[in-house]
Amino acid sequence: QKCTNFHTIVQISIVYYINIFFLCTVFKIVNFFNTIIGMKINVNFFLCLLCVFTFLQCNEERDKYYERPEWLEDPIYQVLQQEGRFNLYLQCVDRTNYAAILKGAGLYTVFAPNDQAFSAYLKEKSYASVEDIPSNEIVKIVAYSIVYSKWALSHLGDYFQGGVYVSGAFKRKTNLYSLPYKDPEFNNQWVIDQNVEGGYNSSMQNYKYLPVYTSTYFNTFPVPLTAYDYNVFYPGSEFTGKNVQEGTILNSDIPASNGIIHEVSTVNEPFENIDRILKDESYSAFKSLLDYRTVTGEFAFKGYYELPEYLDEYQKMMPDSMMNSLHFKYYSSTAFSPLLENVYSYATGTYEPEKTGNTLFVPRNDILNEFIKTKILKYYKTIDELPLEVISTLINTHMVTDLVWPSLYENTVNATGEFINGEGSRGRKFDDAGILSKKVASNGFVFQTDEVIKSRYFETVYSEIFLNPAHILLNRAYVNFYETGLREELMKSTLNGYLSERYTMLNFSDELLAEDGFSYNSISNGFSNSLMTTGAEDRLKRLIRTHIFTGLKNNEIESEVNDFSKGKISNYDDWGFTVSYYGDAVRFKNNQLQAAGNIEDNTYVTLTKVDDYINGTVYNVDRMLQYSSRETAVDDNRWQDLKLWKYLDRARKENPNTSLFVDYVERCLKNAETDELDGINAENYYTVLIPNNSAMNQAINRGYISPLALVTSDEKENLAQATKFVNAHFLQGKVLVDDGLTYIYPVNPVEPNRLLIPTLLKITNEALDLTNERTFIEVTKTSAGLLNLIPQDVKSGSKILVDGAFGTTVNMRVQRGVVNGSTLQDNFRSNRIACKAILHEINNFFIFEEKNPEE
């Protein structure tokens, strides 16, 4: 036998070398007698004698080293015997293979129930003695009581990280783990549960973890948990800060040579995982969703995958099983797997079964069935007709990828992004939430409820797209364009913490999309348009956004657009004006709407109200709002915005009051060949303020601009002066309609009635150290809903470099109503809708006068 301890090796080596020295001396003596005196001495005798002597000395030292120290504790098994109050527990241990473990080497923590606890257990189970307990139950009880590693009471609320203890754990890994079983849901074949996300890893097992509720763990939360959180699950037990399931640790840290013992007041049986708990008939409606099979008979959310490479291993482990095949069972498309014991933390991206778990809320069968019938199947006959995403969303709405402790209930968000109480911290607390039952699972919590958790997918304006088969293509478009955030935008509500957001959606059917030329290719996962050569998806995005109107509704402001009967300003023949989510101006009257393209075609979009939702209102439309002329234009012009110049040119013909300003625009900005205007970006939005002829003549008379005849390419100073004047009246970045509201729509919740908007005018003045300096107009609304437009100074600190002012002394006003004497239909002086623009006649003009640098 090798002596492996260094100290022992040193001792034996000393003995060995002493004996070598002695041997050498003996040889010298023998040689002396043989050569000098002539005596004949047998050397072999001395060698044998020396070997025996050395061997005896080495073993004596080794045995002395390996003698059991008097101070060393006995193994766990013997300590339990000596304590004298764990006899029934030891009888159980003796019926398993774990007796050898508790008697041998290693490092374990045993949560040992005393005889009193075991007697109570036997009585509860109606067992006369330990011998009456079935063998498989005995094995579970014993294995579940033996925890890996040594965990003193002071560290039962900790976990190891980087070799040190860190607070924040409440479960300890036991010797009990899942084995293959016959699954009646899979033709009674042998199945083993997945042990990693989406799969099976032979190097891991689905170990069971024993929960230990300590004050250390409860205090790791920002708002510490209390006895209340424990007693929700164990109402008949006292919280001691060292509870093991419904019992407590009576005596802790009993030392043993191979670990430590905690005496507990209860016999602890392993919890079932969430998947097994759902087999109870009271959860059957929800379980039927998890077990849903497609029309081809395949499971939609769970699966079975054959594991032939592990069959032999488990056949040897379970020789009496007659196992002839093996599959692992797993879940997919659900927020978490109800059967995964090795809990995966989505917060950290690691497996943390000792620290966390998952939570499932299960509506009562009748309540869930009624919800499916009235809400989910509103447009379908059977659940088989539903898109799978609808069913998976309903499942995931009731899943939380964390433990929902009762004290944390009102701030908890589910896997689909909603507060489980519907309102967050302002909403109901756990005791008022209709929780019918509470169960601890081996991998989380299960709560049965008397209501379905509200989902933004089913309760917001977007639900009409999500649940209506008339909008399958439209829903796909939202999913494809998810990066834009529009789908998430339309689901903002109190359910996910947005208290004021309101939306009005005008939904167009897939049939209308098809009429417009759109189709979806599932292989390329993209949209195309048979009537267009390019830009199909850009057009679709714009169409979608043009049919959405945003608003706010709170104690300070109500800007929801949900009344399309008429506008607030009678001067516009009862037309109301607003701006879509995309930024296009839209007008409405008698529940009919027109965008720029509809006005060109003289077509109307008629609305039919669908319903009110938690965050707004939904209407269906009989045709789409169009930004371009689809019926009167030809070829590619049917898909393109009509150029801004065309609307300006039309305005000066239909409204002579605006002719002079438009003449200056033509002279200063227009490209004669392309009708493009310098500085106008086709991707931007504009509000064009057109000083009427009276205001223009005052500007000419006061020398702010030269007469039109003198504004030529040959008169560069005159042209530059006029160009600056014209550019100051093009406001860029926003379409500002004259809507009669007392706030600026769409509303900025920070400043509902103030907007700084840049003009096209940029000033370069070397003497003032200005290079392409932008100029701004402040926009506000009066209490009567009139637009206030105030030019802003350009300053350096308190010094004015450019003076922004009005050209005349009259108040700047948008000129409302029909053009005087006009016989043209809807020939308004303002609110003239253009593509990505609006034109207003005004009675004044802006000037931005550059100061003398020496002033």
Side-chain angles (χ1 to χ4, degrees):
Q1 181 177 344
K2 291 184 178 179
C3 298
T4 57
N5 183 275
F6 177 75
H7 184 263
T8 304
I9 291 174
V10 171
Q11 288 180 320
I12 295 175
S13 297
I14 292 173
V15 172
Y16 174 78
Y17 283 112
I18 290 174
N19 289 332
I20 290 295
F21 175 77
F22 176 73
L23 178 62
C24 291
T25 304
V26 170
F27 271 113
K28 288 181 181 180
I29 294 173
V30 170
N31 187 59
F32 172 78
F33 279 103
N34 284 340
T35 57
I36 304 298
I37 303 177
M39 294 181 65
K40 299 295 183 181
I41 300 176
N42 191 335
V43 176
N44 291 334
F45 169 76
F46 283 101
L47 289 175
C48 290
L49 182 63
L50 178 61
C51 288
V52 171
F53 179 71
T54 303
F55 176 79
L56 292 174
Q57 282 188 298
C58 180
N59 275 279
E60 181 181 350
E61 293 297 328
R62 184 202 62 196
D63 293 342
K64 184 183 296 184
Y65 178 78
Y66 279 105
E67 283 181 1
R68 182 180 183 85
E70 294 181 358
W71 49 265
L72 184 63
E73 301 291 345
D74 288 326
I76 292 173
Y77 188 95
Q78 282 80 1
V79 172
L80 290 171
Q81 282 182 321
Q82 294 162 13
E83 290 289 328
R85 58 187 182 280
F86 300 101
N87 299 312
L88 296 177
Y89 174 69
L90 288 176
Q91 288 179 37
C92 291
V93 172
D94 289 339
R95 289 182 56 187
T96 71
N97 293 326
Y98 291 102
I101 291 177
L102 299 188
K103 292 176 181 178
L107 205 58
Y108 301 97
T109 300
V110 173
F111 292 86
N114 57 29
D115 288 338
Q116 184 178 355
F118 239 106
S119 295
Y121 173 80
L122 294 174
K123 182 178 180 180
E124 178 189 354
K125 297 289 187 177
S126 299
Y127 295 136
S129 67
V130 169
E131 294 301 320
D132 292 333
I133 305 176
S135 297
N136 61 335
E137 188 175 328
I138 287 282
V139 171
K140 288 181 180 180
I141 291 173
V142 174
Y144 196 56
S145 69
I146 303 173
V147 165
Y148 285 98
S149 299
K150 180 180 178 180
W151 293 96
L153 177 63
S154 59
H155 289 300
L156 284 178
D158 300 332
Y159 62 96
F160 276 122
Q161 186 178 66
V164 298
Y165 288 109
V166 180
S167 297
F170 80 106
K171 291 189 288 184
R172 304 268 68 95
K173 180 180 176 181
T174 73
N175 274 257
L176 181 62
Y177 57 85
S178 301
L179 289 171
Y181 58 94
K182 286 187 175 182
D183 190 350
E185 297 172 2
F186 188 56
N187 299 323
N188 225 30
Q189 295 191 54
W190 284 98
V191 165
I192 190 164
D193 293 339
Q194 68 181 104
N195 55 20
V196 293
E197 279 287 293
Y200 184 80
N201 187 331
S202 62
S203 65
M204 303 176 69
Q205 294 288 354
N206 259 327
Y207 283 96
K208 292 284 188 178
Y209 286 75
L210 178 69
V212 183
Y213 308 96
T214 64
S215 298
T216 300
Y217 171 73
F218 275 24
N219 288 327
T220 58
F221 291 85
V223 177
L225 305 182
T226 67
Y228 164 72
D229 295 279
Y230 173 78
N231 289 130
V232 162
F233 299 104
Y234 307 101
S237 301
E238 177 188 0
F239 178 67
T240 62
K242 52 181 180 179
N243 296 88
V244 183
Q245 291 192 7
E246 61 182 341
T248 189
I249 296 175
L250 300 173
N251 291 292
S252 62
D253 300 341
I254 302 172
S257 61
N258 55 351
I260 197 169
I261 303 166
H262 300 301
E263 179 184 354
V264 293
S265 63
T266 52
V267 174
N268 298 305
E269 295 181 285
F271 291 120
E272 297 284 10
N273 61 37
I274 296 174
D275 188 58
R276 299 289 179 85
I277 289 176
L278 288 176
K279 294 181 185 298
D280 189 297
E281 183 59 30
S282 62
Y283 306 120
S284 60
F286 189 86
K287 189 176 187 308
S288 68
L289 298 177
L290 286 170
D291 292 343
Y292 175 73
R293 293 176 184 260
T294 65
V295 291
T296 61
E298 300 293 324
F299 286 113
F301 306 113
K302 69 180 180 182
Y304 297 87
Y305 189 84
E306 191 168 7
L307 290 173
E309 62 271 35
Y310 304 121
L311 177 59
D312 182 63
E313 175 184 343
Y314 283 108
Q315 284 175 333
K316 292 177 181 178
M317 291 180 63
M318 305 170 64
D320 299 328
S321 65
M322 304 296 290
M323 191 185 308
N324 55 13
S325 66
L326 181 65
H327 293 74
F328 81 83
K329 178 182 177 181
Y330 65 96
Y331 281 88
S332 62
S333 300
T334 56
F336 62 79
S337 171
L339 52 75
L340 183 60
E341 305 275 4
N342 188 29
V343 180
Y344 183 80
S345 171
Y346 291 89
T348 63
T350 58
Y351 293 96
E352 297 181 344
E354 75 280 8
K355 296 165 56 178
T356 189
N358 298 304
T359 303
L360 182 66
F361 291 85
V362 185
R364 206 174 67 203
N365 289 339
D366 58 329
I367 291 172
L368 179 57
N369 288 332
E370 181 65 19
F371 178 82
I372 292 173
K373 177 182 177 181
T374 58
K375 174 75 74 171
I376 304 301
L377 297 180
K378 180 179 179 181
Y379 296 106
Y380 296 88
K381 293 181 180 179
T382 68
I383 198 170
D384 293 328
E385 298 175 355
L386 287 172
L388 282 180
E389 186 186 9
V390 174
I391 305 175
S392 65
T393 299
L394 181 56
I395 293 171
N396 291 333
T397 296
H398 294 83
M399 289 183 162
V400 179
T401 55
D402 203 349
L403 291 173
V404 182
W405 293 98
S407 291
L408 309 179
Y409 173 80
E410 63 266 31
N411 289 311
T412 297
V413 174
N414 64 10
T416 51
E418 296 91 12
F419 288 109
I420 52 179
N421 69 349
E423 298 178 82
S425 58
R426 302 181 182 185
R428 297 169 301 168
K429 295 185 180 299
F430 184 84
D431 287 343
D432 302 318
I435 306 295
L436 304 175
S437 66
K438 313 99 178 177
K439 290 187 177 181
V440 178
S442 59
N443 54 352
F445 298 151
V446 177
F447 299 111
Q448 189 175 50
T449 68
D450 65 1
E451 65 182 16
V452 173
I453 292 179
K454 291 183 178 179
S455 168
R456 56 208 173 113
Y457 287 87
F458 305 141
E459 305 294 337
T460 64
V461 293
Y462 186 75
S463 67
E464 186 60 28
I465 294 175
F466 190 64
L467 296 175
N468 192 336
H471 304 304
I472 292 176
L473 284 182
L474 189 57
N475 182 54
R476 173 51 56 187
Y478 275 98
V479 173
N480 275 25
F481 307 147
Y482 186 79
E483 67 276 7
T484 67
L486 183 56
R487 179 174 175 171
E488 287 296 305
E489 175 78 17
L490 295 173
M491 292 192 288
K492 287 181 177 179
S493 65
T494 55
L495 297 179
N496 55 345
Y498 296 92
L499 306 181
S500 303
E501 281 71 11
R502 305 290 292 175
Y503 303 91
T504 299
M505 290 184 64
L506 314 182
N507 284 347
F508 45 85
S509 66
D510 291 349
E511 182 179 351
L512 289 176
L513 273 176
E515 288 178 6
D516 201 73
F518 284 102
S519 60
Y520 171 71
N521 189 316
S522 59
I523 298 176
S524 64
N525 191 31
F527 283 86
S528 60
N529 191 306
S530 60
L531 306 177
M532 300 177 67
T533 55
T534 60
E537 290 204 348
D538 288 337
R539 171 172 171 77
L540 182 53
K541 289 179 183 180
R542 182 169 181 182
L543 286 173
I544 288 172
R545 295 182 176 123
T546 300
H547 290 77
I548 298 170
F549 303 90
T550 62
L552 293 175
K553 188 175 183 179
N554 53 40
N555 293 332
E556 298 176 357
I557 196 165
E558 185 173 342
S559 66
E560 185 175 6
V561 182
N562 60 4
D563 182 0
F564 295 96
S565 58
K566 66 177 183 177
K568 294 183 178 294
I569 305 171
S570 60
N571 305 61
Y572 295 115
D573 192 25
D574 286 336
W575 280 106
F577 295 84
T578 189
V579 179
S580 73
Y581 185 89
Y582 187 80
D584 284 318
V586 175
R587 69 180 189 178
F588 56 85
K589 182 171 61 174
N590 298 327
N591 289 314
Q592 292 185 316
L593 293 88
Q594 290 182 306
N598 303 105
I599 294 173
E600 294 296 313
D601 291 337
N602 195 32
T603 58
Y604 298 86
V605 176
T606 303
L607 305 181
T608 302
K609 185 175 180 179
V610 177
D611 210 344
D612 292 315
Y613 290 85
I614 194 172
N615 66 339
T617 308
V618 175
Y619 295 86
N620 283 336
V621 298
D622 64 340
R623 66 167 66 233
M624 289 190 284
L625 288 167
Q626 298 287 354
Y627 57 84
S628 61
S629 177
R630 293 281 287 109
E631 298 184 15
T632 57
V634 179
D635 298 331
D636 287 345
N637 290 329
R638 301 175 66 213
W639 314 102
Q640 297 174 358
D641 291 347
L642 193 64
K643 289 182 173 57
L644 181 55
W645 166 250
K646 293 295 184 182
Y647 289 102
L648 288 167
D649 186 35
R650 184 183 299 167
R652 70 175 171 180
K653 295 173 181 175
E654 296 178 354
N655 180 12
N657 296 326
T658 63
S659 61
L660 189 52
F661 178 82
V662 178
D663 290 342
Y664 274 87
V665 171
E666 182 177 22
R667 187 68 55 87
C668 298
L669 304 182
K670 179 178 176 293
N671 184 307
E673 295 181 359
T674 64
D675 287 345
E676 300 287 353
L677 298 177
D678 290 345
I680 297 298
N681 185 340
E683 301 302 317
N684 210 341
Y685 309 93
Y686 296 92
T687 298
V688 185
L689 303 174
I690 307 177
N692 57 26
N693 291 346
S694 174
M696 290 296 295
N697 285 322
Q698 289 195 52
I700 295 170
N701 293 336
R702 297 178 61 183
Y704 291 119
I705 51 176
S706 300
L708 183 64
L710 301 179
V711 178
T712 66
S713 57
D714 295 330
E715 300 289 341
K716 296 188 183 302
E717 289 189 9
N718 292 346
L719 182 62
Q721 179 192 43
T723 300
K724 290 175 62 177
F725 179 89
V726 168
N727 282 342
H729 296 83
F730 280 77
L731 312 185
Q732 56 180 339
K734 202 171 186 71
V735 172
L736 295 169
V737 297
D738 181 25
D739 51 20
L741 302 174
T742 57
Y743 49 82
I744 299 170
Y745 182 87
V747 171
N748 175 2
V750 179
E751 288 189 287
N753 195 23
R754 183 178 182 273
L755 174 69
L756 274 180
I757 186 168
T759 75
L760 278 185
L761 174 60
K762 295 182 180 179
I763 296 175
T764 296
N765 187 315
E766 186 175 346
L768 295 174
D769 195 25
L770 297 177
T771 303
N772 281 333
E773 184 71 26
R774 302 177 80 178
T775 57
F776 290 86
I777 304 296
E778 181 188 62
V779 183
T780 58
K781 290 286 196 72
T782 69
S783 59
L786 295 168
L787 283 166
N788 271 333
L789 304 155
I790 304 174
Q792 302 296 290
D793 298 331
V794 177
K795 295 182 178 181
S796 176
S798 60
K799 184 178 181 180
I800 296 177
L801 304 180
V802 179
D803 185 12
F806 295 112
T808 70
T809 57
V810 301
N811 291 328
M812 172 75 77
R813 287 288 178 262
V814 168
Q815 301 301 289
R816 293 173 170 174
V818 179
V819 175
N820 294 335
S822 174
T823 59
L824 297 174
Q825 181 182 2
D826 301 331
N827 185 23
F828 301 121
R829 301 173 70 179
S830 297
N831 275 343
R832 299 181 70 93
I833 293 177
C835 288
K836 295 185 180 177
I838 196 86
L839 313 182
H840 298 307
E841 177 192 332
I842 57 175
N843 64 342
N844 205 331
F845 59 90
F846 303 129
I847 56 172
F848 288 91
E849 188 172 12
E850 298 164 40
K851 294 291 188 179
N852 187 329
E854 297 180 358
E855 293 181 359

